[in-house]
């Protein structure tokens, strides 16, 4: 099978897959969207036509109601279809099911966003006909689209085309699946009347209708004008209360008809619009020429792809999928500041057209880096609804503003608050995306246009929501919330929420300082408008500083929330294998009770707040949560993929990235029919950029850490900054950076580089920047000293201890060592006593160390250190021994190493990679830029976990686990270390 | 104002209070219920007629649906009103609003359950008329009731009475209040036709109609037969599709009409019934004579009151309220095994006629002790729906059976699972009530009739629901549940739930042993039917033994759940004073986040599982939870009241008891209009019996602990056991016990008494049974030894310490003492070091104690102990000193005291009453039966908290805090101690 990188094509019509195909072949311009249904609307699954943010409301009924529950649902409205055309040849009306189809081809073109269909078919009388439909929704003129229909016959025929406005069919109420949503079981629109449109010669050339939504009172006018190349005869049909139609008839071999349609909606309830003006203005002139429209569209997409294009050499399927995803994302995203990006965009009615946090957390990174105007418009949309957020906070008895979990018009539309309103994190998600936008664009104007008010009002909510909990040492706790993982609800101290709230509170404090300094007038205005006192900012800072983040000291992991670790693990023996998605097979009480995740939660926080977690903690958390993450949410795979790359799990990262990229094209979640997963589409870009390329913005500098999975030859993409367009290509050997515009400082792993118009190339794989030494057995040998001290302790207590047991103490901490000895003797002691004994042993051991001298440095180490220094390779000590500084001093090496990891700060000892990762951190390096030297198996295991080149010394380690192995330190040649 | 103990009367008609009056004057027989509306139905608030368990269903709509949500609501149906009568005099139709009313009296008679109304009124023509309506719903024949109407005029008049069946009006959909419920906004019943009934002479004497509920398909036939004393002329009116009517007309001074009505419903959907048989049988003969009906009713209530009567001398309002409550409870409770006791009984449509745990936890104690047949019927109702519980457990992915939180037909009808299905405790509540029934009646037959299956299947759910949590030392945890306090939802390890589950699991294990021994055949059958293996019983026992009960070691209290203590306290400065009931003013997220209770939760567990908590813990818990309990639930006051009495808070207990008793008569929750609070009605009986009389069943023996609040002269009530009716009267001086039937062993406080037909009288107030001694300063003086040891320690560290500081160490623990010294010196030490120092001080101190001899016993103590022993008064030592046994040994007193409290077991030292309460426990006494002797203020405070007679010694205590005070032990005369 081959995949075209610049189009998606379907060459077989299968009714079974019709629904999915309609979603995949959707076209739109962010304002107006058509699912990819046939112009003749038959057969069709859901011939959906949508305007972004055009909705109907209906009361939400609760079997058991309560104060503050969301009152009205909002549903994106199915609009009248002005593209509607039917073709009849010799009296035989065409549709895919009733005629003999000889050849079929449906295509979405990525260069133009054009949806075309060509059908070769044979009439019952045996006439061969070719029919082509081409549809474009204009990117230049958002109210406008056109369809060009060409019919040609092998011999003369009576060709007729009927054109009208089709009214949406009412759709069945959906079943249990909450992802589908409750559809309205009544018409959403009432027609206000139709009229025919005529040209200057009073010939009918089109029609239009005016409509109003029944409850939300939004107005819509839509219609179409026609251009027929041949002098076909035109018949007009009108019905009482129904849309009129035009029928174009021609006897001959061909007919070509161009139908230009338009949709004009009022943006807010009750609003009307200067209809004639708009139509006579832009639409009347520029948009009624098909070729102009195509040309304008092509130009638009040249611009778009200049910033958004990704290439993937070696996997054309993925390349196609990624480009398809970005095109669809682009087509679905509102750019007018009055709409946003719905969960299914404009491609289906799943989730009822609601906007969620998807926009901010999944969509914004793409827009921030390829299309900052759109990013700004999305922020403006949120700003415009700040008053709704304020009112909602009042409903919840809170200060400040609380954004709705799901909405179109700014009011909360979530009918199930435990997985809705309780997701307070939406406030921080929005704030995060604005701060990210500012970091990338430095566009301060958004602050004066309501952005600052939004940021402070939403921050206020946090301070009011949480409190300094005396039961948690006075730390700031936020209780009774739901995090991104909706398989846990109403928990205390969701780590994601608290971390994001900390970020939010911390950043508004910085913002306040900056505004006071750089925008004093605006700052004065804001503080007055918001009655924002200095004291309140201090409170924000205090809450941020004192924020409680649940942590499991024993496992050394961040806990998803206070109760997560107490949930039961899924016991397949008891309950059978998990049925997915769980939300369709288990009561929420069953789901909430188990240690399972719908989607990345803490892992997502580690991606967004990269700096808040050292690498070893990110990895440890990922290792803990990854097996518990069901991925039942389509938002999960991209984040798990990015963080898998971060941990060095390249093939796992690749697998997740592919899942995200192919989510809809391969219909992996079996619900593409309800619309495309826009967050996953944006996520597929993130998986490439943040995952494979390892991109992060670190202190204002774009930093990269490329890891190319084995199946790709190369990947490339661009990131756009205010005055620079940075292009990155990663192949197996090299990573190439090039900037169009102002040169820009970037980081390639730990190296800082200034990139200009000339391509700069760096090895894709990491190179060795440092060597990290274990101390005992590598730099010197204190084994015997340890042995003697332990032996003395054991003898004093009458415990068995010999060299055999001693070998098991290599590389582990003092306390762990004592435990080994106690276990060996079947003895249990209270911790306090063990502390005392460790102290005793250490006193004996330290006393004996006094006899160490530089002579005790092991063979070959001194020249090796000299050589490393000569070559500019950094060095560090990663030893579990708290005596390391003392020993180094006795050896005269106290100033030799660039870093010595403070052993007492290490939460988990070897074989956990923490200590080595800390060493790399101290040196400002990524772990994969380091080589480690170890003489103990636990140390070797730790190094492998740390992704470092592993060099083993001596007989106590398994040589097969090492990248290189020597029998003694004297053999440690430098070439064994470098890479 | 005077209150009649045998009736409730209304003498003014006020339309404003009409709705409440309709509820209060409800009449019924457990099957059929009428609200106390006027026969002419005008004016009326809700002229409700109900059959217990006769319901309509309607689908529950969810704005956001999920797997396993309850699918259908059930609503008790408003039935056709066969009592409907209108009176016309001289063409003027009577109703309370349109005629001139001269005198009005509405009365509910407690001797007969008869509702009567007498109205003296004047026609527009000035004629004086007296009209009386009397209604009885037969207790003997559950399908039957009658109304007798008497009209008399001062002069001749045209009197006519129209009789018909009135169809229920459709009622408006209720607003936000979830306690009201969502009413159906469509008719529930369709009529299947009407017919006239004739006597043997073919004269029309009545009519009847047949009906069916629209969705639940339950059948109902109802009608009426008439008896007119005078030869009135009768006119028949029939309408197409409407009910027929009979009009009785008489010219003269009076007319008397008796209307006998009947209701026959099928018990299960689709069922029909042998209508003619029933009507011709019982109804046709016995029930059509008014005087027979009244006599039968009177007899019934003589029986009823023999068991249920309560008297309250000194407060006739409370006496009336209590009797009213019990009558109404009786009238509302289903006795046919196919219905139960709805939250509002048959008195209104609040909570839609659903049955909750109210039946088992609030109603059953009353029925178990006054009417075991009804108790049994209520159990049978639950048993009959076991299969529904099994199916529901499957929905929740659990084994066993899970009973619905709210239901009529056995299916879960709770549309908000966090305060519905999540209340798994319903399973244990039902089991508890059955075990209590067994304990009181020993009626094992309920086990063979499905009771045992119910108990084991519901126990299975617990084992499957919880798990042995390695993070809690392998204890059995039950996560993600809601306890009785619905102001906390979806918590882990709700103490009430876990305690009740432990009870449930433990008791089925005992039951298994008993059945295996006493009912081997039945046991074999059960184990086969349930596939119950020995292993499973062992698992139950293990879960019970290992049940985790959250406990706060620092505060020494039982925690409501794992997260309760982490919730924020309500900050009135931040959020304003609480608006009640909170559920109508705050979003659940706000409520759940705060440390507030809707109703007794842990406190309820302490009542039900009295034995599981020592008294000091019950008191400490009560002290903690009482201020946090909003009492927004009407179920709260009775339990808080009972436990206030238990703690010795007599006036608080009284206040709560009054609240419960007057809940409806005084409309304290402002919603009596929606129906009476049946649980609170039963609760008012409990508050008397378990509260004031302190009744508990202890090891199968009824035990009493009377405390009469100051405002009462006496109270009395009866408890009925299988062959004995125990009557109890408590007055200010004496408590009198008397048994009708087999003599019975009871306990009056700690005294065991056998009571027979002869009245036995005991003092109501406690008498002294023991004296509890502090050690140091009372029995001997080790002060100097302590002082010297502390001084030595202080000197060694250079800390200031003198006699002044030493005095502050009296009565507190060693660790607390050290803390005082450290604080005095501004020193902070780690706990481990403090441990060491305490140890050191103790070693020095103990060594010095070796010099103690019997000579060191303080003056007067030896003769005092001798005298106490002579009088049979027990003695104990309650000292914080862990050296107490050693010191007693040195003094030669090691065998003198009946008990020495092990100091190391004490969780909280003096001034907490724990140590004294433990001493009383060890002696098998209630605290109020003890006197304590103390020389330290902390000890005096502890004694007062412990409700003990407090005797202070020496200058270190405030004499005003003591019941008696002496300067030295030599003055401790025995009369100071005894009471």
């Amino acid at each position: 099978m081959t995949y075209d990188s610049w189009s998606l094509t379907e060459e077989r019509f299968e009714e079974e897959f019709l629904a999915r195909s309609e979603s995949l072949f959707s076209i739109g311009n962010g304002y107006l969207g058509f699912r990819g249904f046939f112009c003749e609307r038959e057969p069709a699954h859901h011939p959906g036509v949508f305007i972004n943010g055009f909705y109907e409301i209906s009361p939400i009924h609760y079997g058991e109601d309560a104060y503050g529950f969301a009152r009205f649902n909002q549903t994106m409205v199915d609009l009248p279809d002005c593209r509607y055309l039917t073709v009849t040849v010799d009296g035989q009306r065409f549709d895919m099911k009733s005629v003999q189809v000889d050849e079929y081809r449906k295509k979405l073109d990525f260069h133009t966003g054009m949806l075309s269909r060509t059908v070769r078919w044979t009439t019952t009388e045996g006439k061969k006909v070719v029919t082509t439909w081409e549809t474009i929704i204009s990117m230049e003129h958002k109210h406008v689209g056109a369809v060009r229909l060409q019919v040609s016959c092998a011999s003369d025929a009576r060709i007729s085309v009927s054109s009208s406005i089709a009214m949406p069919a009412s759709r069945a109420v959906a079943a249990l699946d909450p992802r589908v949503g409750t559809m309205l079981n009544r018409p959403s629109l009432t027609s206000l009347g139709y009229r025919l449109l005529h040209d200057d010669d009073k010939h009918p050339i089109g029609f239009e209708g005016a409509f109003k939504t029944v409850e939300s009172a939004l107005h819509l006018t839509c219609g179409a004008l026609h251009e027929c190349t041949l002098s076909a005869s035109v018949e007009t049909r009108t019905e009482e209360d129904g849309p009129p139609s035009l029928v174009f008839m021609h006897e001959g071999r061909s007919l070509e008809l161009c139908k230009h349609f338009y949709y004009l909606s009022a943006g807010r309830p009750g609003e009307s619009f200067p209809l004639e003006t708009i139509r006579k203005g832009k639409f009347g002139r520029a948009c009624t020429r098909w070729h102009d429209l195509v040309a304008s569209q092509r130009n638009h997409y040249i611009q778009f792809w200049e910033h958004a294009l990704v290439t993937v050499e070696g996997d054309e399927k993925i390349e196609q999928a990624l480009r398809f995803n970005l095109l669809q994302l682009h087509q679905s995203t509102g750019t007018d500041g009055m709409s946003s990006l719905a969960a299914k965009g404009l491609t289906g009615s799943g989730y009822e057209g609601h906007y969620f946090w998807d926009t901010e957390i999944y969509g914004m990174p793409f827009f921030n880096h390829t299309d900052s105007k759109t990013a700004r418009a999305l922020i403006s949309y949120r700003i415009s609804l700040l008053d709704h957020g304020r009112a909602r906070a009042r409903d919840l008895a809170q200060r400040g503003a609380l954004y709705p979990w799901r909405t179109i018009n700014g009011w909360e539309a979530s009918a199930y608050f435990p997985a809705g309103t309780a997701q307070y994190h939406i406030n921080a998600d929005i704030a995060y995306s604005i701060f990210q936008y500012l970091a990338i664009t430095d566009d301060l104007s958004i602050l004066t246009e309501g952005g600052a008010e939004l940021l402070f009002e939403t921050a206020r909510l946090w301070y009011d929501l949480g409190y300094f909990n005396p039961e948690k040492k006075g730390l700031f706790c936020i209780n009774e919330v739901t995090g991104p993982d909706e398989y846990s609800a109403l928990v205390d101290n969701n780590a994601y929420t608290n971390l994001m709230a900390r970020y939010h509170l911390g950043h508004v404090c910085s913002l306040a300082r900056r505004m006071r300094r750089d925008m004093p007038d605006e700052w004065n205005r804001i503080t007055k408008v918001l009655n924002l006192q200095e004291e309140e900012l201090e409170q924000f800072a205090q809450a941020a500083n004192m924020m409680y983040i649940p942590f499991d000291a024993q496992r050394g992991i961040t806990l998803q929330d206070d109760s997560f670790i107490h949930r039961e693990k899924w016991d397949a023996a008891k309950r059978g294998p998990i049925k997915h998605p769980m939300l369709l097979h288990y009561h929420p009480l069953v789901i909430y009770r188990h240690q399972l995740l719908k989607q990345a939660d803490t892992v997502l926080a580690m991606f967004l707040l990269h700096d808040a977690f050292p690498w070893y903690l990110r990895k440890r958390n990922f290792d803990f949560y990854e097996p518990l993450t069901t991925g039942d949410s389509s938002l999960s795979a991209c984040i798990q993929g990015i963080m898998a790359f971060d941990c060095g799990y390249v093939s796992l990262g690749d697998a997740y990235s592919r899942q995200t990229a192919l989510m809809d094209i391969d219909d992996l979640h079996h619900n593409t029919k309800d619309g495309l997963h826009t967050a996953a589409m944006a996520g597929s870009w993130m998986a490439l950029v943040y995952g494979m390329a390892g991109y992060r913005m670190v202190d204002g500098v774009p930093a990269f850490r490329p890891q190319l999975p084995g199946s790709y030859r190369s990947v490339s993409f661009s990131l756009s900054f205010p005055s620079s367009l940075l292009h990155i290509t990663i192949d197996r050997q090299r990573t190439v950076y090039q900037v169009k515009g102002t040169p820009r400082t970037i980081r390639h792993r730990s190296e800082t580089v200034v990139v200009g118009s000339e391509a700069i190339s760096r090895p894709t794989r990491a190179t060795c920047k440092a060597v990290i030494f274990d101390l005992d057995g590598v730099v010197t040998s204190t084994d015997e000293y340890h042995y003697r001290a332990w032996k003395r302790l054991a003898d004093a207590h009458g415990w068995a201890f010999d060299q055999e047991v001693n070998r098991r103490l290599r590389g582990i901490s003092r306390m762990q060592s004592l435990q080994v000895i106690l276990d060996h003797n079947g003895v249990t002691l209270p911790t306090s006593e063990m502390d005392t004994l460790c102290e005793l042993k250490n006193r004996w051991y330290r006393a004996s160390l006094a006899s160490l001298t530089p002579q005790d440095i092991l063979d070959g180490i001194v020249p090796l250190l000299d050589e490393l220094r000569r070559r500019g390779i950094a060095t560090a000590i990663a030893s579990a021994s708290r005596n390391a500084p003392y020993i180094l001093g006795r050896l005269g090496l106290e100033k030799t190493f660039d870093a010595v990891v403070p052993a007492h700060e290490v939460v988990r000892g070897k074989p956990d990679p923490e200590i080595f990762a800390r060493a790399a951190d101290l040196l400002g390096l990524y772990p994969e830029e380091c080589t480690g030297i170890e003489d103990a198996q636990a140390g070797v295991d730790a190094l492998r976990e740390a992704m470092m080149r592993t060099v083993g010394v001596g007989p106590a380690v398994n040589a097969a686990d090492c990248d290189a192995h020597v029998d003694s330190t004297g053999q440690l040649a430098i070439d064994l270390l470098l890479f």
Side-chain angles (χ1 to χ4, degrees), chain A residues 4 8 14 28 351 443 461 562 641 662 681 779 823 887 898 909:
Chain A
D4 180 354
L8 183 73
E14 286 165 293
Y351 289 112
D443 167 23
L461 180 110
D562 279 358
L662 301 174
M681 293 184 155
V779 174
D823 291 349
I887 294 171
D898 298 298

Side-chain angles (χ1 to χ4, degrees), chain A residues 411-450:
Chain A
W411 295 112
E412 177 65 271
S414 171
Y416 178 64
F417 80 85
T421 301
Q423 297 202 46
Y424 292 92
H425 66 81
I426 182 75
N427 259 22
D429 302 334
I430 293 171
Y432 178 89
S433 79
I434 297 176
F435 285 119
Q436 294 292 307
Y437 170 80
L438 288 171
I440 291 158
T441 65
D442 208 38
D443 167 23
L444 299 182
S445 71
I446 197 76
L447 295 174
T448 59
E449 289 170 25

Side-chain angles (χ1 to χ4, degrees), chain A residues 802-874:
Chain A
D802 55 24
Q803 286 288 6
E804 164 64 33
V805 179
N806 190 49
R807 264 192 289 284
R808 282 150 54 193
L809 311 187
R810 239 181 259 258
I812 64 175
S813 76
R814 201 181 299 151
M815 197 70 169
Q816 288 171 314
S817 298
L818 177 59
Q819 194 62 59
V820 168
I821 296 170
L822 293 177
D823 291 349
H824 182 67
N825 286 276
V827 174
T828 309
L829 291 179
T831 316
S832 59
E833 188 158 346
M834 286 176 69
D835 281 337
T836 313
L837 294 182
C838 282
E839 203 40 51
L840 196 62
K841 177 260 169 184
N842 190 45
R843 217 175 297 154
W844 292 338
Y845 165 70
R846 265 185 87 105
S848 69
L849 287 180
S851 63
L852 276 176
T853 71
Q855 306 305 321
D856 290 304
I857 299 175
L858 290 176
D859 262 9
I861 294 300
V862 171
L864 184 64
L865 287 168
D866 288 345
E867 178 64 15
L868 288 169
R869 183 165 327 103
R870 210 181 50 73
R871 297 203 187 196
I873 305 288

Side-chain angles (χ1 to χ4, degrees), chain A residues 112-116 132-138 145-150 227 229 256-261 285-298:
Chain A
T112 54
M114 182 193 286
L115 172 65
S116 61
T132 301
W133 299 256
E134 293 163 298
T135 309
I136 275 178
I137 311 295
S138 171
V147 52
R148 182 170 73 162
L149 169 68
Q150 292 170 304
E227 239 185 322
T229 49
E256 180 178 322
L257 178 74
C258 207
K259 183 177 186 181
H260 297 270
F261 49 86
R285 279 191 292 276
C287 318
T288 48
R289 284 195 297 273
W290 173 256
H291 291 291
D292 290 353
L293 193 63
V294 174
S296 138
Q297 198 75 353
R298 190 175 296 276

Side-chain angles (χ1 to χ4, degrees), chain A residues 561-775:
Chain A
D561 56 60
D562 279 358
S563 54
F564 188 82
I565 204 70
H566 291 293
R567 282 172 218 148
E568 191 174 359
K569 290 197 163 40
W570 186 269
D571 182 348
K574 202 157 111 182
R575 312 209 183 280
I578 297 176
K579 289 177 260 180
H580 291 286
M582 292 187 77
L583 63 102
L584 296 188
H585 297 98
Y586 302 96
H587 191 286
L589 282 166
V590 181
I591 296 175
Y592 297 166
R593 192 174 289 116
H594 285 94
Q595 222 177 75
L596 289 167
L597 283 71
K598 187 177 176 193
Q599 63 188 93
D601 190 291
T602 307
V603 168
L604 173 59
M606 298 197 301
F607 165 54
L608 299 177
L609 307 171
H610 184 255
D611 300 343
F613 298 83
W615 178 82
Y616 64 85
L617 182 55
R618 298 201 301 270
K619 181 164 189 294
R620 209 185 274 150
N621 284 341
F622 183 85
D623 290 345
F624 181 78
Y625 289 107
E626 207 277 332
L628 305 177
T629 305
T630 63
D632 280 354
S633 164
S634 64
L635 307 187
S636 196
C638 62
I639 305 302
Q640 294 294 115
I642 291 168
M643 294 310 292
F645 277 109
D646 183 57
C647 296
Y649 302 138
V650 177
S651 32
L652 182 62
D654 186 34
Y656 274 126
S657 301
R658 298 179 74 89
Q659 260 183 45
T660 305
L662 301 174
M663 186 80 69
D664 284 308
I665 281 202
D666 282 0
D667 195 10
L668 297 178
H669 277 223
H670 313 296
N671 61 355
T672 293
K673 65 179 169 49
D674 299 324
L676 305 178
H677 298 80
T678 52
M681 293 184 155
S684 67
W685 182 88
M686 287 205 283
L688 173 69
V689 173
Y690 294 92
M692 277 186 224
Y695 164 63
R696 299 289 186 282
M697 184 64 89
V698 179
D699 301 328
V701 176
F704 299 88
R705 189 189 181 193
Q707 297 177 91
L708 197 65
S711 54
Y712 303 117
R713 283 202 305 281
S714 81
V715 298
S716 75
F717 61 91
S718 303
L719 299 179
S720 143
F721 299 98
S723 59
S724 339
L725 181 65
L726 173 63
H727 186 75
I728 299 101
T729 303
I730 304 166
D731 71 19
R732 304 219 64 75
Q733 274 69 46
R734 314 293 296 171
T735 297
V736 180
Y737 302 93
Q738 193 166 21
V739 161
K740 200 165 136 184
T742 317
R744 190 157 178 116
T745 303
I746 65 138
R747 284 180 62 181
H748 176 81
R749 288 214 167 74
S750 59
E751 184 190 0
T752 301
V753 189
V754 178
V755 183
S757 58
E758 201 146 315
I760 285 184
S761 147
R762 287 292 180 276
T764 293
R765 289 193 51 202
T767 52
C768 182
K769 299 280 173 67
V771 177
I772 303 172
F773 292 75
D774 178 32
L775 180 60

Side-chain angles (χ1 to χ4, degrees), chain A residues 956-969:
Chain A
V957 306
N958 186 352
D961 293 334
C962 304
D963 297 307
H965 182 264
V966 293
D967 292 333
S968 72
T969 52

